[in-house]
Amino acid sequence: MKSRTFYILLFSVLGLCLALTVAHFLYVIYAYQHCSIIYFIGKELWL
Amino acid sequence: MKPGKQILSIVLVVAVFAAFNFGMYQLLTRRLSNNFSGATKAQMIDVKSYLPHEEGSDLPELESTLKLTDNLPILDGAAALVPVYAAVIHNVYPEGCVTYQGGTFSDDNFYGENFAEDSAMQYKNTVRGYQAIVDGTTDILFCAGPSEEQKQYAEEQGVELVYVPIGLEGFVFFVNENNPVDNLTAEQIRKIYAAEYTNWAEVGGVNRIINPVTRLKGSGSQTAFEAFMGETEIGHKSPLAVLGASIGFSFRYYMDGIVENEAVKMLSLNSVYPSAENIQNGSYPIVAQFYAIYRADNENENIPVLIDWLLSEEGQTLIEKTGYVRLQQK
């Protein structure tokens, strides 16, 4: 793979992953404000 | 760069993001089942279980001497009090007074339920319920006490509301069942919400950040919580607290009798467990009244009749049968 092609591909993948992560973050912020806190606390991770 | 390393770089980028998002899903996203759609699992309440005059409903039966036949006051209320006012309709109102858009009950719309406009039973919950009572689309609202904003809204609209206490309920704090803390003092809880205590180890628990969770502004439990905090200001918690072990609050019967989520446990307060007995005998320290609320200028003659009945032995027995605590001793 040519260097230029590689960097285009790398930054495209990086951009896509970043966009999906930001979308995940926004969903978490929105859903946290509307979720059932009983369910939220009941599903807490305790190892 | 060699082709092998190029591919490895791309795979590495994807793997890092995937791991991060998986971690966030495990810690947060999977716990965020919402209650803003009737189609989701974690509704505020399963109204279908409390439909009056329906076979298989969970409403208590009572030999009521009061039977209303016409001019039926429209009843509405908070999620936690659906069993109470639905039981009133079930025992006092005639069959056929609860109607649905489209003819049959459905909870598959935005707010969850499809009561028809002329139905004697509605379910708007606290925030929209207060608006409905002020606007005159509901006759009696069953709710916890109003927030300052709700009082102000009524004043702005020039509406006088009458608040009649009809029962008692314990205001409770709860944590995950695996949290080793079983008891807190009221002072400790105030300090947790004031962000003075930020780690469970400071109150006898494990070394883990405390996530003090609050509710929607104007909801019955949030208003009761603000009254509990009094002059103590609610502190700003760290953004990382959301990853910690949470503490939340609610009303006892909503927790214990309606939602019945066994993955959470109610905390004793000042070493007193919030049982129905401890609420009625006054040993549990935070007891809230709940109210039947109506407009002072509402001319429906059955409103005072129904209110008097709710305060009578029969009405108080019904409140007790729905799982709440009666006002007066038998």
Side-chain angles (χ1 to χ4, degrees), chain B residues 153-287:
Chain B
Y153 179 68
E155 277 174 25
E156 283 169 3
Q157 303 300 312
V159 170
E160 184 190 345
L161 296 178
V162 180
Y163 302 88
V164 181
I166 56 166
L168 302 174
E169 185 53 315
F171 185 67
V172 300
F173 291 87
F174 63 93
V175 295
N176 185 282
E177 59 165 346
N178 295 307
N179 191 323
V181 172
D182 292 316
N183 172 63
L184 289 172
T185 66
E187 197 50 33
Q188 283 175 321
I189 292 176
R190 287 195 185 94
K191 284 185 174 176
I192 285 172
Y193 277 94
E196 285 182 44
Y197 290 151
T198 56
N199 192 302
W200 283 103
E202 294 172 90
V203 291
V206 296
N207 180 19
R208 194 163 168 185
I209 298 173
I210 304 175
N211 180 29
V213 182
T214 55
R215 306 295 281 266
L216 181 70
K217 187 86 180 158
S219 68
S221 52
Q222 180 68 20
T223 302
F225 167 70
E226 287 166 7
F228 164 77
M229 290 297 281
E231 298 297 309
T232 310
E233 274 195 38
I234 299 169
H236 294 287
K237 63 182 180 185
S238 154
L240 288 177
V242 77
L243 304 175
S246 308
I247 178 170
F249 50 77
S250 187
F251 289 101
R252 178 199 64 96
Y253 186 65
Y254 184 67
M255 288 282 306
D256 207 25
I258 298 177
V259 177
E260 295 181 298
N261 188 330
E262 292 178 357
V264 295
K265 64 178 179 186
M266 294 188 287
L267 295 175
S268 293
L269 198 60
N270 302 344
S271 300
V272 181
Y273 188 73
S275 63
E277 189 187 2
N278 287 339
I279 289 165
Q280 194 176 43
N281 68 25
S283 58
Y284 185 74
I286 323 174
V287 174

Side-chain angles (χ1 to χ4, degrees), chain A residues 1-3 6 9-10 13-14 17-18 20-21 24-25 27-28 30-32 34-46, chain B residues 6 10 13-14 17 21 24 29-33 35-36 174-176 178-179 208 211 213 215 237 244-246 248 255 261 263-264:
Chain A
M1 200 183 314
K2 284 183 184 174
S3 190
F6 165 67
L9 188 62
L10 181 68
V13 169
L14 196 64
C17 289
L18 207 56
L20 289 172
T21 303
H24 191 174
F25 254 123
Y27 171 77
V28 165
Y30 175 73
Y32 183 71
H34 294 87
C35 74
S36 155
I37 68 165
I38 297 173
Y39 188 82
F40 180 77
I41 294 176
K43 285 279 184 181
E44 210 160 71
L45 267 183
W46 282 81
Chain B
Q6 289 176 337
I10 291 168
V13 165
V14 172
F17 276 96
N21 279 276
M24 189 157 68
T29 319
R30 70 182 179 86
R31 300 163 60 194
L32 299 175
S33 184
N35 52 32
F36 43 81
F174 63 93
V175 295
N176 185 282
N178 295 307
N179 191 323
R208 194 163 168 185
N211 180 29
V213 182
R215 306 295 281 266
K237 63 182 180 185
S246 308
M255 288 282 306
N261 188 330
V264 295

Side-chain angles (χ1 to χ4, degrees), chain B residues 80-97:
Chain B
L81 293 171
V82 167
V84 174
Y85 68 87
V88 172
I89 294 172
H90 186 66
N91 288 284
V92 176
Y93 284 32
E95 284 195 35
C97 67

